[in-house]
Amino acid sequence: MKKNVHEFEIKLDKEWKEALDKAYKKKIKEVKIDGFRKGAAPKEIYIKKFGIESLYMDAVDTAIQDAYRKLLDENKDIVPAIEPKVDVTGISDSNVIFKFTVITRPEIKLGEYKKLGIKLEEATVTDEEIDAEIKALQDQLADLTTKEEGKVEKGDTAVIDFKGYVDGELLEGGSGENYSLEIGSNSFIPGFEDGLIGKKVGDEVTLDLTFPAEYVENLKNKPVKFEVKINEIKTRVVPEINEDFFKDLGYENVKTLDELKEEVKKYLVSEKSKKLEDEFIDACLTKAADNMEVDINEEIIDEEVHHMMHQYEDQLKMQGLDLEKFYELTGQTHEDLHKNMEGEATKRVKYRYLIEEVAKKEKIEFTEKEVEDKAKEMAENYGITVEELIKAYGTTDIVKYDMTMHRALEIIKEGNK
């Protein structure tokens, strides 16, 4: 067993009896005993009919929190790194015994984190990159106009009706009406968009295609037939480079193409600088973490993975998906996703321990006023009151922790510039 794994047995007597009473009050509302109104039977009658054991599960749920508080009160030096594992090792009508397996922060031996030989590159931008960005801005502001005559070309948007058939049956989710499809966007399976090039409004096309090998399990490599009708063709008309274009971009003071190029150059340099700084920080943290000695428990990594999976699930929900649908579409399992995230989770935990240890070594401290000022600044940025911020965080200690981590990260950065 690792040094940072601790086992405790906590026995509850009085608290257990109180938990049993709470469990009885909950259970009695759910049952009807002959001779009594629902919820009115005395505890002794309930136990005689159902047995004291019927209360154990609900009582344990209540008593665990009491036992955990007792453990922490009796062991002030124990600071759990993750939620403890809990087992019930003894239970009766008079007491309950819990066994807690508590994992604390692993021992860390900090290595070199300054003068790592990593340099921050200076951002430079070429004329070709500036021209490409201006072209991209033109594309963003391009208007779609109906092509009165002519055929579908790459870059056009075809408004189509389509139906897909697999094994002679209509494909679920494979139909649409007046669907706007940009030709060349690769939104549909290979061959679909290319099959519409050269067609005119009113044309009806049959496309015999095959789903790619990297598709959902039940359709990959299967032949599919699409019946498509072209209802309308729209073409992109990019704006001319003139003062109206400059204003549409928000550059009120720009009057010439050369002035626009200067503004675009500033923007690109700024974006590249941010990217290079992020890469620089990551390189510093990676090397400093490699110099650090720490043996991280699998359980700590596992909890970080679960946290990441919850975040990923929230992102999927914003796209109208859930994990089950994701697994169905990708052919992955819960175990696959968990394993795929373990590397990133390990890196996150290592970085966190590294930065915390640097903060400790550098003796980073903040006054109460500095923390209060930061809380006010954060509240203003979020558009809420300080009271609402503290309520959301639970305590200003989180604000102080964020400040400490940020200062330690700045020390690592400055030590390598």
PDB file of all heavy atoms in Angstrom, residues 86-103:
ATOM      1  N   VAL A  86     -15.486   3.731   0.638  1.00  0.00           N
ATOM      2  CA  VAL A  86     -16.141   3.401   1.895  1.00  0.00           C
ATOM      3  C   VAL A  86     -16.731   1.997   1.826  1.00  0.00           C
ATOM      4  O   VAL A  86     -17.383   1.638   0.844  1.00  0.00           O
ATOM      5  CB  VAL A  86     -17.281   4.396   2.222  1.00  0.00           C
ATOM      6  CG1 VAL A  86     -17.775   4.165   3.654  1.00  0.00           C
ATOM      7  CG2 VAL A  86     -16.838   5.827   2.041  1.00  0.00           C
ATOM      8  N   ASP A  87     -16.487   1.221   2.875  1.00  0.00           N
ATOM      9  CA  ASP A  87     -17.091  -0.105   3.011  1.00  0.00           C
ATOM     10  C   ASP A  87     -17.742  -0.204   4.385  1.00  0.00           C
ATOM     11  O   ASP A  87     -17.241   0.360   5.368  1.00  0.00           O
ATOM     12  CB  ASP A  87     -16.032  -1.214   2.893  1.00  0.00           C
ATOM     13  CG  ASP A  87     -15.416  -1.270   1.502  1.00  0.00           C
ATOM     14  OD1 ASP A  87     -16.174  -1.458   0.543  1.00  0.00           O
ATOM     15  OD2 ASP A  87     -14.181  -1.119   1.396  1.00  0.00           O
ATOM     16  N   VAL A  88     -18.869  -0.922   4.460  1.00  0.00           N
ATOM     17  CA  VAL A  88     -19.509  -1.203   5.738  1.00  0.00           C
ATOM     18  C   VAL A  88     -18.955  -2.543   6.227  1.00  0.00           C
ATOM     19  O   VAL A  88     -19.147  -3.570   5.583  1.00  0.00           O
ATOM     20  CB  VAL A  88     -21.044  -1.276   5.597  1.00  0.00           C
ATOM     21  CG1 VAL A  88     -21.669  -1.618   6.952  1.00  0.00           C
ATOM     22  CG2 VAL A  88     -21.595   0.039   5.074  1.00  0.00           C
ATOM     23  N   THR A  89     -18.243  -2.512   7.347  1.00  0.00           N
ATOM     24  CA  THR A  89     -17.613  -3.744   7.852  1.00  0.00           C
ATOM     25  C   THR A  89     -18.371  -4.352   9.023  1.00  0.00           C
ATOM     26  O   THR A  89     -18.077  -5.471   9.443  1.00  0.00           O
ATOM     27  CB  THR A  89     -16.160  -3.467   8.275  1.00  0.00           C
ATOM     28  OG1 THR A  89     -16.146  -2.431   9.263  1.00  0.00           O
ATOM     29  CG2 THR A  89     -15.324  -3.045   7.079  1.00  0.00           C
ATOM     30  N   GLY A  90     -19.347  -3.616   9.563  1.00  0.00           N
ATOM     31  CA  GLY A  90     -20.155  -4.149  10.647  1.00  0.00           C
ATOM     32  C   GLY A  90     -21.439  -3.370  10.773  1.00  0.00           C
ATOM     33  O   GLY A  90     -21.432  -2.142  10.642  1.00  0.00           O
ATOM     34  N   ILE A  91     -22.563  -4.079  11.005  1.00  0.00           N
ATOM     35  CA  ILE A  91     -23.841  -3.369  11.098  1.00  0.00           C
ATOM     36  C   ILE A  91     -24.802  -4.167  11.976  1.00  0.00           C
ATOM     37  O   ILE A  91     -24.853  -5.403  11.917  1.00  0.00           O
ATOM     38  CB  ILE A  91     -24.437  -3.141   9.688  1.00  0.00           C
ATOM     39  CG1 ILE A  91     -25.605  -2.165   9.737  1.00  0.00           C
ATOM     40  CG2 ILE A  91     -24.841  -4.437   9.039  1.00  0.00           C
ATOM     41  CD1 ILE A  91     -26.017  -1.645   8.362  1.00  0.00           C
ATOM     42  N   SER A  92     -25.525  -3.441  12.845  1.00  0.00           N
ATOM     43  CA  SER A  92     -26.524  -4.059  13.703  1.00  0.00           C
ATOM     44  C   SER A  92     -27.533  -2.985  14.068  1.00  0.00           C
ATOM     45  O   SER A  92     -27.437  -1.847  13.596  1.00  0.00           O
ATOM     46  CB  SER A  92     -25.871  -4.623  14.971  1.00  0.00           C
ATOM     47  OG  SER A  92     -25.398  -3.565  15.781  1.00  0.00           O
ATOM     48  N   ASP A  93     -28.491  -3.339  14.935  1.00  0.00           N
ATOM     49  CA  ASP A  93     -29.474  -2.325  15.323  1.00  0.00           C
ATOM     50  C   ASP A  93     -28.897  -1.306  16.294  1.00  0.00           C
ATOM     51  O   ASP A  93     -29.510  -0.272  16.565  1.00  0.00           O
ATOM     52  CB  ASP A  93     -30.716  -2.984  15.932  1.00  0.00           C
ATOM     53  CG  ASP A  93     -30.380  -3.811  17.166  1.00  0.00           C
ATOM     54  OD1 ASP A  93     -29.181  -4.024  17.425  1.00  0.00           O
ATOM     55  OD2 ASP A  93     -31.319  -4.253  17.853  1.00  0.00           O
ATOM     56  N   SER A  94     -27.694  -1.580  16.841  1.00  0.00           N
ATOM     57  CA  SER A  94     -27.101  -0.676  17.834  1.00  0.00           C
ATOM     58  C   SER A  94     -25.932   0.153  17.314  1.00  0.00           C
ATOM     59  O   SER A  94     -25.632   1.221  17.842  1.00  0.00           O
ATOM     60  CB  SER A  94     -26.645  -1.460  19.067  1.00  0.00           C
ATOM     61  OG  SER A  94     -25.689  -2.442  18.691  1.00  0.00           O
ATOM     62  N   ASN A  95     -25.237  -0.308  16.266  1.00  0.00           N
ATOM     63  CA  ASN A  95     -24.104   0.469  15.741  1.00  0.00           C
ATOM     64  C   ASN A  95     -23.783   0.047  14.307  1.00  0.00           C
ATOM     65  O   ASN A  95     -24.286  -0.976  13.817  1.00  0.00           O
ATOM     66  CB  ASN A  95     -22.868   0.339  16.631  1.00  0.00           C
ATOM     67  CG  ASN A  95     -22.400  -1.098  16.745  1.00  0.00           C
ATOM     68  OD1 ASN A  95     -22.061  -1.734  15.754  1.00  0.00           O
ATOM     69  ND2 ASN A  95     -22.385  -1.627  17.972  1.00  0.00           N
ATOM     70  N   VAL A  96     -22.938   0.840  13.698  1.00  0.00           N
ATOM     71  CA  VAL A  96     -22.451   0.549  12.348  1.00  0.00           C
ATOM     72  C   VAL A  96     -20.971   0.900  12.301  1.00  0.00           C
ATOM     73  O   VAL A  96     -20.526   1.836  12.984  1.00  0.00           O
ATOM     74  CB  VAL A  96     -23.236   1.340  11.271  1.00  0.00           C
ATOM     75  CG1 VAL A  96     -23.001   2.846  11.424  1.00  0.00           C
ATOM     76  CG2 VAL A  96     -22.833   0.911   9.864  1.00  0.00           C
ATOM     77  N   ILE A  97     -20.199   0.123  11.554  1.00  0.00           N
ATOM     78  CA  ILE A  97     -18.756   0.375  11.422  1.00  0.00           C
ATOM     79  C   ILE A  97     -18.429   0.577   9.949  1.00  0.00           C
ATOM     80  O   ILE A  97     -18.760  -0.268   9.100  1.00  0.00           O
ATOM     81  CB  ILE A  97     -17.925  -0.793  11.988  1.00  0.00           C
ATOM     82  CG1 ILE A  97     -18.277  -1.045  13.449  1.00  0.00           C
ATOM     83  CG2 ILE A  97     -16.431  -0.509  11.840  1.00  0.00           C
ATOM     84  CD1 ILE A  97     -17.672  -2.315  14.027  1.00  0.00           C
ATOM     85  N   PHE A  98     -17.796   1.722   9.655  1.00  0.00           N
ATOM     86  CA  PHE A  98     -17.372   2.043   8.296  1.00  0.00           C
ATOM     87  C   PHE A  98     -15.853   1.932   8.189  1.00  0.00           C
ATOM     88  O   PHE A  98     -15.129   2.329   9.112  1.00  0.00           O
ATOM     89  CB  PHE A  98     -17.764   3.472   7.903  1.00  0.00           C
ATOM     90  CG  PHE A  98     -19.242   3.694   7.798  1.00  0.00           C
ATOM     91  CD1 PHE A  98     -19.922   4.388   8.790  1.00  0.00           C
ATOM     92  CD2 PHE A  98     -19.950   3.224   6.698  1.00  0.00           C
ATOM     93  CE1 PHE A  98     -21.280   4.615   8.696  1.00  0.00           C
ATOM     94  CE2 PHE A  98     -21.309   3.444   6.597  1.00  0.00           C
ATOM     95  CZ  PHE A  98     -21.980   4.141   7.585  1.00  0.00           C
ATOM     96  N   LYS A  99     -15.397   1.408   7.075  1.00  0.00           N
ATOM     97  CA  LYS A  99     -13.962   1.414   6.782  1.00  0.00           C
ATOM     98  C   LYS A  99     -13.738   2.397   5.633  1.00  0.00           C
ATOM     99  O   LYS A  99     -14.257   2.206   4.531  1.00  0.00           O
ATOM    100  CB  LYS A  99     -13.476   0.023   6.391  1.00  0.00           C
ATOM    101  CG  LYS A  99     -11.995  -0.014   6.011  1.00  0.00           C
ATOM    102  CD  LYS A  99     -11.600  -1.400   5.525  1.00  0.00           C
ATOM    103  CE  LYS A  99     -10.169  -1.422   5.012  1.00  0.00           C
ATOM    104  NZ  LYS A  99      -9.806  -2.740   4.451  1.00  0.00           N
ATOM    105  N   PHE A 100     -12.972   3.463   5.904  1.00  0.00           N
ATOM    106  CA  PHE A 100     -12.651   4.478   4.895  1.00  0.00           C
ATOM    107  C   PHE A 100     -11.231   4.242   4.385  1.00  0.00           C
ATOM    108  O   PHE A 100     -10.300   4.093   5.174  1.00  0.00           O
ATOM    109  CB  PHE A 100     -12.733   5.882   5.490  1.00  0.00           C
ATOM    110  CG  PHE A 100     -14.127   6.358   5.763  1.00  0.00           C
ATOM    111  CD1 PHE A 100     -14.729   6.106   6.989  1.00  0.00           C
ATOM    112  CD2 PHE A 100     -14.837   7.049   4.797  1.00  0.00           C
ATOM    113  CE1 PHE A 100     -16.011   6.545   7.255  1.00  0.00           C
ATOM    114  CE2 PHE A 100     -16.129   7.495   5.055  1.00  0.00           C
ATOM    115  CZ  PHE A 100     -16.718   7.248   6.280  1.00  0.00           C
ATOM    116  N   THR A 101     -11.095   4.215   3.070  1.00  0.00           N
ATOM    117  CA  THR A 101      -9.763   4.206   2.460  1.00  0.00           C
ATOM    118  C   THR A 101      -9.549   5.592   1.872  1.00  0.00           C
ATOM    119  O   THR A 101     -10.202   5.971   0.895  1.00  0.00           O
ATOM    120  CB  THR A 101      -9.651   3.138   1.360  1.00  0.00           C
ATOM    121  OG1 THR A 101      -9.980   1.861   1.921  1.00  0.00           O
ATOM    122  CG2 THR A 101      -8.242   3.088   0.794  1.00  0.00           C
ATOM    123  N   VAL A 102      -8.662   6.350   2.508  1.00  0.00           N
ATOM    124  CA  VAL A 102      -8.453   7.758   2.141  1.00  0.00           C
ATOM    125  C   VAL A 102      -7.111   7.914   1.429  1.00  0.00           C
ATOM    126  O   VAL A 102      -6.073   7.476   1.937  1.00  0.00           O
ATOM    127  CB  VAL A 102      -8.487   8.660   3.397  1.00  0.00           C
ATOM    128  CG1 VAL A 102      -8.255  10.117   3.009  1.00  0.00           C
ATOM    129  CG2 VAL A 102      -9.811   8.500   4.128  1.00  0.00           C
ATOM    130  N   ILE A 103      -7.162   8.542   0.265  1.00  0.00           N
ATOM    131  CA  ILE A 103      -5.936   8.833  -0.489  1.00  0.00           C
ATOM    132  C   ILE A 103      -5.643  10.320  -0.361  1.00  0.00           C
ATOM    133  O   ILE A 103      -6.473  11.165  -0.707  1.00  0.00           O
ATOM    134  CB  ILE A 103      -6.085   8.444  -1.971  1.00  0.00           C
ATOM    135  CG1 ILE A 103      -6.299   6.929  -2.090  1.00  0.00           C
ATOM    136  CG2 ILE A 103      -4.867   8.871  -2.775  1.00  0.00           C
ATOM    137  CD1 ILE A 103      -6.543   6.441  -3.500  1.00  0.00           C
TER     138      ILE A 103
END
